[in-house]
Amino acid sequence: SSSSGLVETGLLETGRRQVGYNDAFLTQFDSDGNRLWTQSFGVQDGYAYLYGVSTDVGGKVYVLGSFSGPSGTLFRTLFKDGSFVEIADQGLIGVMDAFLMSFTTSGDHLKTTNIGLAGGVDYDIFGNVYGLGVGTDSAGNVYITGYSSRETGNTDVMSQLGILVDGVFTPISDEVLGSNNAFVTKFDSDLTPQ
């Protein structure tokens, strides 16, 4: 919750216009339980899941989840007025990517970044990244936790966990081996990795 009300997240399957097969949503309520706004998001012919929500001292709302869909599809937001908006250059890095989104307290989208496992087609790696927890500190920093999972016949093949912002991939880990790896990543309040 924040000083302006309660925030709820979940999976949207019916009752609203949808982007994909399963869409995620974020809703804010006032202290009397009245819905103030709802944002939903998903991937055409794909899936979006939310696993965490947090607010910072400045009132921004952060949500963390994962999404997947056909190769080349873009992550989309269904804004409060019912219009679809593609988040430019936010295609998948792997098979399933984690995403971190920020919103104002009135539900306006600020920024989205996704976290994925690079190396997919080139190295015959099928990578999934799951964003599981999000929190903030008193300085306005945002922390996320999760894990990457990959399937490959050769666990000695290297891949790299990274962030996609405005179409640019930035590594956030050394090259990783093995099938499953946990991560903790720090961002500033503008979702720039630290």
Side-chain angles (χ1 to χ4, degrees), residues 37 39 61 79-80 102-111:
W37 51 264
Q39 291 280 33
V61 179
F79 287 105
K80 296 180 288 184
S102 59
F103 295 89
T104 66
T105 56
S106 44
D108 298 317
H109 174 260
L110 296 170
K111 191 169 184 180

Side-chain angles (χ1 to χ4, degrees), residues 10-25 38-49 74-79 81-86:
L11 177 66
L12 182 68
E13 292 184 341
T14 59
R16 281 183 55 115
R17 186 174 168 203
Q18 288 184 239
V19 176
Y21 297 128
N22 290 334
D23 289 357
F25 73 92
T38 297
Q39 291 280 33
S40 58
F41 16 90
V43 177
Q44 186 173 350
D45 298 325
Y47 302 88
Y49 306 94
L74 298 180
F75 194 61
R76 303 171 93 185
T77 296
L78 175 59
F79 287 105
D81 64 4
S83 64
F84 287 114
V85 176
E86 289 185 350

Side-chain angles (χ1 to χ4, degrees), residues 10 37 81 90 95 97 114 126 130 153 159 167-168 170 174 184-185 188:
W37 51 264
D81 64 4
Q90 292 301 121
V95 174
D97 287 358
N114 54 306
F126 303 99
Y130 302 91
S159 59
V168 177
T170 303
D174 294 328
V184 175
T185 304
D188 66 16

